[in-house]
Amino acid sequence: ETSPSPFLFLKIFVSPIPPQHKKRNDSPRGALETMMRTNPHSKVPLLYSYSRRWKCLFILFLTCAGLFELRLKNQTNRRVNFREEENERHGSNGETTRRVRHTQGEYRSLADTSAIIKRSKPFKLKELSYEEEEQLRKQRMEERMRRGKEEHQEPNVEHHHHEVNNSNDQQQERKKEILEHVDSLNKSSIVFAAFASAGFHEFMLNWYAHTQKLNIGNVIVAAFDTETEKVCKENNIPYLGDEELRYTHGVVATGGQPLHDQNAKVTMVGKAFQQIGALKASFLLRLMQKGFRVLVSDCDTAWMKDPRDWFATNEMAKYVDMAVSTDCLSYTNEEKVRGCWHDQFNTGILFLNPTEKTKEFLKDWQVALETTKHKFEHDQDIFNRLLREGAGLRPPQRLDEIDVENRKEGARRHELHVALASKDLKLGALPLTLFTSGHVFFIQQMHLHLNVEPFVVHTTYQFSQARGKRQRLREHQLWLIDTHEYHNYGHFITTSEKPPQELLSIGIENHMKVSSWYRLVLRNLFAYAEILNRIPILPEFPCSCDRYWGNVLPQCYIPGADIHPPYNRCPMDHVTNLPNLERAGLNFREYSFLSNARTSDKIKESIETVSLSRQFLTDEEIKEQLGGKTYKRVLVLQTASNSFCTFKDESKAKVFDSKMQIGLEAESHFCKSGGSTGRICEIGFTKPKGVSQNRDCDRMRSENFSFEKFYDKLWEHKE
C-alpha cells in the first residue's frame, strides 16, 4: 500500500465489488453506498465513482505504465548480459576493439555504438595497435575453431536447435566457398584482383566483363560488404569476403551517387577513404602471404589488352618488389629521367611480387591508414609518403646500378623503370602509355599519337563522379554492361553541324564561346527529342582549353602535358554536369553510339539527314515537317544551333525551361595566379535563355540570331 505498482492499481480497478457489500443492494450504486457507510475513508469507492469514460482512460494509462516498467526491466537485464558477455570476451580490463559485434554476426563502427559503450561501464575506449588487433583476431579465430570442434564432437546435445545447426552449416558452406575461390587461383600466373563495396557494383561488373573478354580466368574480387558478395554470387564472380574485410561507411564521394541509386548515402569523411585503403592493403597482404603475384586495379579501370605476356617477358617485372601506375602526363619527361619519380604515384593500378619487402610495406601501409590522425589523408597520400620516407626514392641513373644480373644494353622504349624506395624496396614505375590515366587516354589520347596499344585505362581526371566515368567509358566503347535495349531500341536524333571554325584555336575565350555554342545545340536537341519522341545522340565536343582543378591559364593546358589543345573529342564531363542531366530526367546517347559494334545494324542502316524548311521552328512546325519520318531510326539535322525557337503552348515552354535549368546546370573554373586575392578565374558555363522568354521567332529569323544572342553573358570573370 505504501508504493503500489501500476498493476496493483489496475487490479483494484477491474476487481469485482466484494460480496459483503452486495447484500443490501445488488446494483453497483447500492453497493457503493453500502461501502461508503461501512468505511467512509476507503479509496475503493472513490475509484468506482469515476465516470465510465474516465475509468477507461485511466485503465489505459495504467496499462501503458505497466508495459513501460516491464520494458525498462528487460533493457536493464540486456545491459547486464551485454556487459557480462563483453567482459568474458575481452577480459577483466574491459578493453574493446575498434568494431563491436552484433548478435547477427555483423560489425558496426565505434561511431554507431558509442551510446552503448558509454552506458556499459566497465567499457573503456582504446584504439588498439596493429599487433594487438592481430592478436585479438587470432584469439577470435581460435575461439571459433574451438567452438566448431565442440559442436562437431557433440552433435546431439539437446540445446542445439535445428535452426542453429542450419545456420552453422550455411556459415561453414559460405566459408568453404570463399576458400575455394582463393585456393583455386593459379600461382604460376598473375592474379587479377579488384575490390568493391555497395556503391560501385556496376564498375565491378564492367571490370570483370573486360577480364572475361580477354579470357583471363585467374581473377579474385574483395567484397567489402554483404551486398557486394550477393552481386558476386549472382554473376559467378570469384570473391573474397569475410568479417575482417568489412567496410562500414557510406559511398565514398569520389564516386558520387551510385549509378543504381541516386538517393544513397554519400560520405566525404576521411575515415571512409582510409578504411577502404586499409581493407585493400589487408586483402593484398593475404594474397602475398599465399605466394601469389598480383595485378590489382580499381574497379573503375578497363582492361583493353592482356598484359601477362608483357610482364612475363620483361625481366624487371620479375625483379621488382612492387610496380605502380603514375599520374604523370608527359611521356617525354618519363623517358628523359627513366620514370616519373617526382610525380604522384596512383594506387589505382599495382603490380605486386610476394617478397618480404612487399609484405612489410603492405603492413606499414595498413597500420598507417588505421592510425593516421589526418582527416583528409587518403590511401594514395600515405602510399606516396611511405615510399619517400627515410632515404626516399633513389631513381637509378643506369640499370646496372641496381642489379648487374638483369642488366640490359640500352633501355627499351616501354621498359619498366626501377628505383629504390624507403627500406630499399625495389619500386617499378609502370609506363604511362601502357597503364594510362584518364588524362593520358581520354584527353591527350597519347596512344593515337604514339601508335601504342594500352593495356588498361583508369578513369581519373574527370569531373562528373560515377556518371562521368561511365560516360567516358561509353564514349570509347569500353562500357560493356549496358542492356540489350540500350543498343537496339528507340528512335534517335542528332546533328552533323560543327562549331564555327574560328573558335577551334587554343584560348580561353574561344573555349567559352564554343562551349556556349555546344550547350545551345544540346538544348535544341533535347527539345527536338521531346517533340518527336526521340533520343538525342550527343555530338562530339571539341575543346580549346583543358579543364583542371588547378591553374590551367594562361596556356590553357595542364603544366607538363605533352599534347596541347585543341582536343577534337573532349569528354562530355568537360562541358556538362552529367548527374544534373540525369537528375533532370534527360535520356541521351554518347557521340560514338552509331559506331559501336553493339549497336543494332537496323539502327545504323536507317539514317536520314534532314534540312529544315527555315530557321527557328516552333514545336508545331517541327511536328509537321519531321513527325511523319517515324520509319527512320535516326534523323540527322544539318544545323541545330538555329533550329528551335519555342513551344506554342507557353506552359509547355515553361516546363521545358525548368528541365533545362536543372539539366544544363554546370560550372567550371579556369584559373591563373594573380590579382589581389592571388587567383583570377574565368567561370563557365552559363545557360541559354529560356524558350518561354525568347518567343519572337520572326525576329530571330529576320535578325539571323547567332548563338551568342541566346545568352545574357557567355562566362563570368572573378578574382
Side-chain angles (χ1 to χ4, degrees), residues 424-444:
D424 291 334
L425 180 137
K426 300 182 188 72
L427 179 71
L430 296 171
L432 64 87
T433 54
L434 299 179
F435 302 85
T436 59
S437 68
H439 195 278
V440 168
F441 186 86
F442 296 117
I443 310 300
Q444 297 187 69

Side-chain angles (χ1 to χ4, degrees), residues 327-579:
D327 284 336
C328 181
L329 302 181
S330 172
Y331 167 75
T332 54
N333 287 343
E334 181 187 54
E335 286 294 291
K336 188 183 298 182
V337 298
R338 300 200 53 199
C340 294
W341 305 109
H342 300 293
D343 287 276
Q344 185 90 336
F345 293 113
N346 192 300
T347 57
I349 307 170
L350 279 171
F351 172 72
L352 307 169
N353 276 321
T355 65
E356 292 304 316
K357 292 286 186 183
T358 303
K359 296 172 188 176
E360 182 182 4
F361 181 85
L362 290 174
K363 288 179 183 177
D364 292 342
W365 192 22
Q366 181 180 355
V367 171
L369 283 161
E370 291 175 338
T371 59
T372 181
K373 303 299 181 185
H374 197 293
K375 290 183 178 180
F376 303 106
E377 192 175 37
H378 299 166
D379 62 327
Q380 190 165 287
D381 302 324
I382 294 175
F383 181 92
N384 281 272
R385 173 166 60 81
L386 291 177
L387 289 176
R388 291 171 168 84
E389 283 183 347
L393 284 173
R394 287 152 283 164
Q397 298 301 312
R398 295 191 310 273
L399 203 59
D400 59 356
E401 288 184 354
I402 289 189
D403 190 354
V404 177
E405 294 180 5
N406 286 299
R407 180 176 179 178
K408 297 285 182 185
E409 294 298 331
R412 290 203 300 271
R413 182 175 183 181
H414 298 297
E415 190 171 25
L416 184 64
H417 300 150
V418 180
L420 290 177
S422 178
K423 298 183 180 181
D424 291 334
L425 180 137
K426 300 182 188 72
L427 179 71
L430 296 171
L432 64 87
T433 54
L434 299 179
F435 302 85
T436 59
S437 68
H439 195 278
V440 168
F441 186 86
F442 296 117
I443 310 300
Q444 297 187 69
Q445 299 188 38
M446 196 178 292
H447 56 289
L448 300 180
H449 292 270
L450 298 177
N451 195 24
V452 176
E453 195 174 353
F455 293 123
V456 63
V457 59
H458 188 191
T459 54
T460 56
Y461 286 91
Q462 63 83 40
F463 301 90
S464 281
Q465 302 171 328
R467 283 150 185 81
K469 294 174 184 284
R470 178 182 61 183
Q471 184 69 12
R472 289 193 177 194
L473 293 173
R474 277 177 170 168
E475 289 168 352
H476 289 262
Q477 303 179 30
L478 296 172
W479 188 254
L480 304 182
I481 63 170
D482 276 320
T483 62
H484 175 77
E485 289 75 13
Y486 185 89
H487 291 281
N488 288 271
Y489 293 102
H491 287 66
F492 305 90
I493 190 160
T494 187
T495 182
S496 58
E497 183 181 4
K498 303 298 181 184
Q501 190 64 34
E502 65 271 15
L503 301 181
L504 297 183
S505 58
I506 189 171
I508 185 60
E509 287 192 15
N510 284 345
H511 182 65
M512 290 300 189
K513 288 180 180 179
V514 78
S515 298
S516 298
W517 171 87
Y518 184 81
R519 287 162 61 80
L520 178 63
V521 168
L522 289 187
R523 188 206 71 172
N524 291 347
L525 285 177
F526 282 124
Y528 272 71
E530 185 168 317
I531 295 164
L532 300 174
N533 194 25
R534 289 177 177 265
I535 300 171
I537 300 174
L538 307 185
E540 295 176 4
F541 169 63
C543 48
S544 305
C545 197
D546 202 355
R547 185 175 182 179
Y548 186 52
W549 43 85
N551 289 344
V552 75
L553 298 180
Q555 70 274 10
C556 253
Y557 56 84
I558 302 175
D562 277 345
I563 300 168
H564 303 159
Y567 303 123
N568 291 329
R569 294 178 176 178
C570 266
M572 192 54 49
D573 59 82
H574 266 226
V575 71
T576 63
N577 183 304
L578 286 154

Side-chain angles (χ1 to χ4, degrees), residues 19 26-27 62 71 74 203 273 284 287 299 311 361 477 632:
D26 289 339
S27 68
L62 293 177
R71 185 175 180 183
N74 290 336
F203 289 97
F273 294 91
L284 294 175
L287 297 179
C299 58
F311 280 104
F361 181 85
Q477 303 179 30
K632 289 295 183 181

Side-chain angles (χ1 to χ4, degrees), residues 146-391:
R146 178 179 56 80
R147 288 178 180 174
K149 289 179 180 179
E150 290 175 356
E151 291 172 2
H152 183 72
Q153 292 170 357
E154 302 177 279
N156 295 322
V157 178
E158 291 183 1
H159 67 271
H160 281 188
H161 297 292
H162 181 65
E163 292 81 1
V164 176
N165 285 332
N166 285 342
S167 177
N168 290 336
D169 291 342
Q170 291 173 0
Q171 291 177 7
Q172 293 298 325
E173 188 67 27
R174 178 174 167 273
K175 290 178 182 178
K176 181 181 177 182
E177 180 183 358
I178 294 171
L179 289 175
E180 286 176 352
H181 289 162
V182 177
D183 293 340
S184 65
L185 296 173
N186 184 2
K187 285 189 178 181
S188 65
S189 180
I190 292 174
V191 173
F192 281 70
F195 55 93
S197 56
F200 295 91
H201 290 164
E202 291 84 357
F203 289 97
M204 177 188 70
L205 293 172
N206 190 64
W207 177 90
Y208 183 67
H210 277 281
T211 64
Q212 300 310 289
K213 186 177 180 181
L214 297 173
N215 294 318
I216 298 171
N218 217 28
V219 172
I220 191 76
V221 171
F224 288 159
D225 49 47
T226 54
E227 294 92 337
T228 306
E229 287 185 13
K230 181 181 178 182
V231 174
C232 288
K233 288 180 181 178
E234 291 172 349
N235 293 275
N236 298 316
I237 300 175
Y239 72 95
L240 174 65
D242 57 35
E243 296 170 349
E244 303 301 323
L245 292 174
R246 280 292 174 262
Y247 175 66
T248 57
H249 295 275
V251 178
V252 291
T254 53
Q257 299 291 346
L259 298 179
H260 59 271
D261 186 2
Q262 290 193 61
N263 300 314
K265 180 182 178 183
V266 175
T267 180
M268 293 189 66
V269 177
K271 281 294 181 185
F273 294 91
Q274 291 156 8
Q275 187 185 48
I276 284 281
L279 293 174
K280 174 181 176 179
S282 175
F283 165 59
L284 294 175
L285 184 57
R286 291 194 194 185
L287 297 179
M288 291 297 100
Q289 289 168 344
K290 288 183 173 291
F292 295 113
R293 289 182 301 143
V294 177
L295 184 57
V296 60
S297 56
D298 291 355
C299 58
D300 62 340
T301 56
W303 288 94
M304 300 171 283
K305 183 182 175 183
D306 191 342
R308 289 178 291 186
D309 287 343
W310 184 84
F311 280 104
T313 56
N314 193 308
E315 293 297 322
M316 299 306 295
K318 299 177 183 178
Y319 173 73
V320 296
D321 298 303
M322 183 165 52
V324 60
S325 62
T326 176
D327 284 336
C328 181
L329 302 181
S330 172
Y331 167 75
T332 54
N333 287 343
E334 181 187 54
E335 286 294 291
K336 188 183 298 182
V337 298
R338 300 200 53 199
C340 294
W341 305 109
H342 300 293
D343 287 276
Q344 185 90 336
F345 293 113
N346 192 300
T347 57
I349 307 170
L350 279 171
F351 172 72
L352 307 169
N353 276 321
T355 65
E356 292 304 316
K357 292 286 186 183
T358 303
K359 296 172 188 176
E360 182 182 4
F361 181 85
L362 290 174
K363 288 179 183 177
D364 292 342
W365 192 22
Q366 181 180 355
V367 171
L369 283 161
E370 291 175 338
T371 59
T372 181
K373 303 299 181 185
H374 197 293
K375 290 183 178 180
F376 303 106
E377 192 175 37
H378 299 166
D379 62 327
Q380 190 165 287
D381 302 324
I382 294 175
F383 181 92
N384 281 272
R385 173 166 60 81
L386 291 177
L387 289 176
R388 291 171 168 84
E389 283 183 347

